[in-house]
Amino acid sequence: GDSVTQMEGPVTLSEEAFLTINCTYTATGYPSLFWYVQYPGEGLQLLLKATKADDKGSNKGFEATYRKETTSFHLEKGSVQVSDSAVYFCALKGQGGSEKLVFGKGTKLTVNP
Amino acid sequence: NAGVTQTPKFQVLKTGQSMTLQCAQDMNHNSMYWYRQDPGMGLRLIYYSASEGTTDKGEVPNGYNVSRLNKREFSLRLESAAPSQTSVYFCASRAVNSPLHFGNGTRLTVT
């Protein structure tokens, strides 16, 4: 079945550091890929998405590119802020009419001033 | 807009007790979902409802039942709570070809 593997955390960075959170997936066909963010005490919010190969999703300075050849969707940000401290989840939705979204286990990011 | 509203926010149960977690959305979404979130496990789908009147099992349905009462409401019931059901429960909804919208969660402890 479909699955998502993301790098284990926690990740601790200093403000203005470069961030990469790795995400790889297993799925048939061409799934849609997502990054969700969860701030403390809240539900998940969509951060960005990509629906076909080579698409780049971007939002709030975060970017991720859908790489079919490496089945990857790594999250990057050039300069993190303290306010980016949160848990980040990679997710996929299978091709076609699948209703199910499959999530990775989440990566906790802490950014120190 | 309230979005997705879950009640209660916190709940403590004794083993064997029953309870219903409530979820309502005001975005006219067709699909609704229940997930549980456990440390080191990410989010796992319990049940979902693709449209009013239909429900389907997800990855971890055992010990739970659901009701899609109408288009707005999707409840999750624990008939006989067990300590293994201690978790944070999230309800979510979405429109066709749109991302999930999550509620703020219900933190459930079963002693």
Side-chain angles (χ1 to χ4, degrees):
Chain A
D2 297 345
S3 67
V4 173
T5 302
Q6 62 181 104
M7 66 185 284
E8 305 235 350
V11 174
T12 302
L13 296 173
S14 298
E15 208 163 22
E16 299 184 4
F18 183 85
L19 168 71
T20 300
I21 301 178
N22 290 336
C23 171
T24 57
Y25 68 89
T26 301
T28 54
Y30 293 86
S32 295
L33 301 173
F34 307 84
W35 277 100
Y36 280 81
V37 58
Q38 184 181 31
Y39 299 105
E42 299 183 9
L44 281 70
Q45 305 171 26
L46 179 67
L47 181 60
L48 53 85
K49 67 176 183 178
T51 57
K52 60 183 188 293
D54 299 325
D55 265 3
K56 178 185 283 188
S58 60
N59 186 26
K60 299 181 181 180
F62 291 89
E63 293 183 338
T65 300
Y66 187 150
R67 301 284 187 203
K68 180 69 174 170
E69 63 276 13
T70 55
T71 61
S72 65
F73 193 56
H74 304 321
L75 182 68
E76 296 181 336
K77 187 173 185 181
S79 177
V80 294
Q81 305 300 312
V82 172
S83 57
D84 294 327
S85 298
V87 181
Y88 292 82
F89 292 89
C90 186
L92 74 82
K93 179 176 167 299
Q95 188 176 0
S98 172
E99 281 291 326
K100 300 179 185 178
L101 205 65
V102 177
F103 286 87
K105 294 183 178 180
T107 302
K108 183 175 181 180
L109 170 67
T110 300
V111 181
N112 294 319
Chain B
N1 269 348
V4 179
T5 303
Q6 292 183 234
T7 56
K9 287 183 168 41
F10 300 94
Q11 183 72 47
V12 179
L13 293 178
K14 295 188 189 308
T15 297
Q17 287 185 316
S18 62
M19 79 160 295
T20 299
L21 281 65
Q22 307 286 353
C23 175
Q25 52 92 8
D26 61 3
M27 297 171 282
N28 202 36
H29 289 168
N30 285 325
S31 301
M32 297 186 73
Y33 305 78
W34 276 104
Y35 286 89
R36 59 178 288 173
Q37 183 180 27
D38 301 291
M41 301 292 290
L43 273 78
R44 293 181 291 171
L45 182 63
I46 305 171
Y47 270 94
Y48 66 99
S49 170
S51 61
E52 187 179 352
T54 68
T55 61
D56 287 285
K57 295 179 180 179
E59 184 183 354
V60 287
N62 290 345
Y64 305 95
N65 286 302
V66 290
S67 295
R68 183 74 182 267
L69 304 170
N70 47 55
K71 193 169 187 179
R72 290 186 64 247
E73 298 172 288
F74 188 40
S75 62
L76 177 72
R77 182 158 178 86
L78 286 70
E79 290 291 352
S80 178
S84 61
Q85 294 177 305
T86 293
S87 186
V88 181
Y89 291 85
F90 286 99
C91 178
S93 70
R94 72 179 188 95
V96 176
N97 294 326
S98 294
L100 287 172
H101 293 258
F102 283 84
N104 284 339
T106 295
R107 186 174 294 276
L108 174 68
T109 302
V110 183
T111 61

